[in-house]
């Protein structure tokens, strides 16, 4: 318990009706829950009486709460409100040994005042991050950024050209110079260039992206494209180009096929959709690419799955929270639009890996992709590293 001035029996903050709460969160994420009556009343009485701890039962569990409290370290930055207004201690489950943080606010109104000030601080801190169009803001946290200003670091793709005929029209709009490395508000390192793309009738890149969206069933059903993040990862793009060169070398020689016909014309770069369950999963793919080891449902083979329609990938997409976006409206969702190498396909089977050899190949080369059906496939599977790279994180309202 905080020290009391001479002659006082209880601390000054105990003269107010305190507000008690416990952190029931997990995996490093806080989730504060207020104590119900009568536990809240028992805690307050014991605190005001100067007791060292209180034991009580709740839903068949027995708990002990230490009452030798100290100012909460989480609120030292708001010292102008008085550190004594929020005190910290712990709760112990005597059966499981689980220990959780407990806070006592001097009043419910003081807690509301703290929360209001935190929101004001967060809004001010996020302002520069939201204005910068190279920042990664999809982690859904209301925490204040670890650094006040987003660092701006130039990024190079190396020797790379997106004007070649095999690239889809959307990729042909990509710049190769004046790129900026993505900045993360928690200070995490990013190895790719990032550019926020917002609706603009004058932007050819946006118009091309919006056209692809409207062709899909989600766009036709009324889902609204709200924006996108262009992702340009040097390592992934160069790995993709190297694999394309290797695939072309295998498919271009007519003598390698029973009918004496080259398959070079069957290799194409297609823009396909991919959903992932979390914002952290989106970031991992933007950094490291698509990893077939993460595949869980392998109906058409053990590989990375892509869809020709965003409606299918929407089942695997995630909700994201932007720091300054009004959360009372429709949820904001995100999925990836990827550039994928698509060659000769075979109808996939459960857990198939590797894909079978081509019956018409005299050299025993394997199919480049698997799919759900050969006639107008909806789902395509890749089996090689660098056979696809993330091009955009697409943001939409369902």
């Amino acid at each position: 318990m905080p020290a009391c001035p001479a002659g006082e029996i209880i601390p000054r903050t105990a003269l107010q009706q305190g507000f008690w709460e416990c952190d029931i969160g997990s995996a490093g994420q806080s989730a504060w829950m207020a104590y119900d009556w009568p536990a809240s009343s028992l805690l307050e009485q014991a605190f005001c009486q100067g007791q060292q701890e209180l034991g009580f039962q709740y839903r068949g569990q027995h708990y002990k709460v230490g009452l030798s409290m100290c100012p909460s370290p989480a609120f030292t930055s708001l010292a102008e409100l008085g550190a004594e207004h929020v005190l910290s201690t712990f709760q112990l489950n005597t059966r499981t040994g689980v220990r959780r943080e407990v806070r006592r606010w001097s009043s419910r109104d003081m807690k509301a005042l703290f929360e209001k000030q935190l929101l004001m601080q967060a809004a001010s801190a996020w302002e520069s991050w939201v204005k910068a169009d190279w920042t990664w803001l999809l982690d859904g946290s209301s925490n204040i950024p670890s650094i006040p200003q987003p660092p701006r670091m130039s990024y190079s793709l190396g020797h790379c050209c997106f004007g070649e005929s095999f690239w889809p029209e959307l990729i042909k709009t990509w710049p190769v110079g004046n790129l900026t490395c993505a900045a993360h508000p928690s200070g995490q390192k990013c190895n790719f260039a990032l550019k926020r793309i917002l609706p603009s009738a004058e932007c050819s890149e946006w118009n091309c992206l919006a056209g692809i969206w409207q062709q899909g069933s989600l766009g036709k059903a009324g889902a609204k494209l709200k924006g996108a993040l262009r992702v340009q990862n040097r390592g992934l793009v160069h790995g993709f180009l190297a694999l394309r060169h290797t695939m072309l070398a295998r498919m271009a020689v007519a003598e390698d096929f029973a009918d004496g016909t080259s398959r070079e014309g069957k290799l194409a770069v297609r823009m396909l959709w991919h959903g992932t369950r979390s914002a952290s999963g989106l970031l991992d793919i933007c950094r490291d690419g698509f990893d077939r080891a993460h595949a869980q449902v392998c109906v058409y083979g053990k590989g990375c799955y892509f869809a020709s329609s965003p409606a299918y990938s929407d089942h695997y997409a995630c909700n994201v929270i932007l720091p300054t976006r009004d959360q009372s409206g429709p949820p904001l969702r995100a999925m990836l639009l990827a550039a994928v190498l698509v060659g000769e396909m075979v109808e996939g089977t459960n857990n198939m890996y590797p894909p079978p050899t081509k019956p018409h190949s005299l050299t025993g080369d394997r199919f480049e992709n698997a799919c759900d059906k050969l006639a107008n496939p909806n789902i395509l599977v890749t089996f090689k590293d660098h056979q696809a790279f993330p091009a955009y994180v697409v943001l939409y309202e369902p």
Side-chain angles (χ1 to χ4, degrees):
M1 182 178 295
C4 303
E8 289 193 22
I9 300 175
I10 59 175
R12 291 183 296 274
T13 52
L15 299 176
Q16 305 174 56
Q17 180 63 43
F19 178 77
W20 294 79
E21 60 183 356
C22 180
D23 185 1
I24 62 171
S26 60
Q29 297 293 319
S30 293
W32 291 93
M33 183 181 75
Y35 281 95
D36 294 331
W37 185 91
S40 59
S41 179
L42 292 172
L43 284 166
E44 185 68 8
Q45 290 180 41
F47 173 77
C48 292
Q49 292 169 3
Q51 297 181 28
Q52 294 301 302
E53 69 174 25
L54 174 72
F56 64 93
Q57 290 187 346
Y58 181 70
R59 294 184 178 178
Q61 300 289 325
H62 190 270
Y63 300 96
K64 286 185 179 179
V65 176
L67 297 176
S68 297
M69 309 183 77
C70 60
S72 175
F75 295 92
T76 53
S77 62
L78 299 178
E80 63 272 16
L81 291 180
E84 75 273 12
H85 285 293
V86 55
L87 302 175
S88 179
T89 184
F90 68 93
Q91 170 188 281
L92 177 68
N93 185 315
T94 58
R95 183 180 67 83
T96 65
V98 173
R99 185 183 175 107
R100 299 186 181 277
E101 185 182 355
V102 171
R103 293 197 302 222
R104 178 195 183 269
W105 299 84
S106 58
S107 68
R108 185 183 294 268
D109 289 343
M110 185 56 67
K111 173 180 167 63
L113 180 61
F114 266 89
E115 291 178 338
K116 181 179 179 181
Q117 186 156 341
L118 282 175
L119 287 174
M120 291 173 61
Q121 281 193 358
S124 175
W126 281 115
E127 185 177 359
S128 60
W129 283 83
V130 172
K131 286 181 178 179
D133 63 6
W134 64 91
T135 55
W136 181 274
L137 303 177
L138 302 183
D139 284 347
S141 174
S142 60
N143 295 330
I144 296 174
S146 61
I147 45 181
Q149 297 292 330
R152 184 159 195 166
M153 184 173 68
S154 62
Y155 188 92
S156 171
L157 286 175
H159 181 67
C160 197
C161 175
F162 298 110
E164 296 171 276
S165 60
F166 65 84
W167 287 114
E169 291 302 314
L170 178 58
I171 301 297
K172 288 179 180 178
T173 67
W174 277 16
V176 293
N178 298 319
L179 303 178
T180 305
C181 188
H184 196 287
S186 72
Q188 295 184 50
K189 302 297 183 183
C190 297
N191 62 347
F192 55 90
L194 192 72
K195 170 73 173 180
R196 194 177 306 136
I197 310 297
L198 298 176
S200 171
E202 291 75 34
C203 176
S204 59
E205 184 176 12
W206 172 261
N207 291 333
C208 192
L209 185 61
I212 294 173
W213 178 259
Q214 287 303 321
Q215 292 170 11
S217 51
L218 270 183
K220 293 177 181 178
K224 298 179 180 178
L225 180 64
K226 304 300 290 184
L229 303 177
R230 185 210 305 138
V231 176
Q232 293 175 282
N233 186 312
R234 177 176 56 246
L236 299 182
V237 170
H238 282 271
F240 180 89
L241 290 171
L243 181 60
R244 179 180 178 273
H245 181 78
T246 300
M247 286 183 169
L248 278 177
R250 290 176 177 172
M251 301 174 74
V253 180
E255 291 79 4
D256 288 348
F257 298 94
D259 59 3
T261 302
S262 167
R263 263 55 180 184
E264 182 178 8
K266 291 187 175 293
L267 185 64
V269 180
R270 292 184 56 184
M271 303 304 296
L272 300 173
W273 301 93
H274 180 90
T276 189
R277 299 293 191 185
S278 66
S280 61
L282 292 171
L283 182 58
D284 288 342
I285 292 173
C286 291
R287 282 182 179 141
D288 304 318
F290 296 98
D291 187 350
R292 61 181 180 271
H294 293 164
Q296 297 178 347
V297 180
C298 302
V299 177
Y300 304 110
K302 291 183 178 179
C304 296
Y305 280 61
F306 301 90
S308 59
S309 168
Y312 181 85
S313 295
D314 179 58
H315 296 298
Y316 301 91
C318 60
N319 288 355
V320 292
I321 301 174
L322 298 180
T324 58
R325 188 173 187 268
D326 182 6
Q327 302 306 314
S328 63
L332 186 67
R333 291 177 65 75
M335 70 172 76
L336 291 159
L337 182 60
V340 184
L341 282 169
V342 178
E344 292 191 276
M345 292 181 282
V346 63
E347 192 168 308
T349 58
N350 191 46
N351 288 323
M352 180 181 73
Y353 185 84
T357 57
K358 303 174 183 179
H360 50 280
S361 172
L362 301 179
T363 55
D365 283 337
R366 298 181 182 276
F367 284 95
E368 284 75 35
N369 303 85
C371 60
D372 58 338
K373 55 184 179 179
L374 292 177
N376 194 25
N378 296 316
I379 302 169
L380 292 92
V381 185
T382 63
F383 298 97
K384 298 284 189 182
D385 293 336
H386 295 297
Q387 199 171 344
F389 67 82
Y392 292 89
V393 178
V394 175
L395 306 174
Y396 63 99
E397 289 179 355

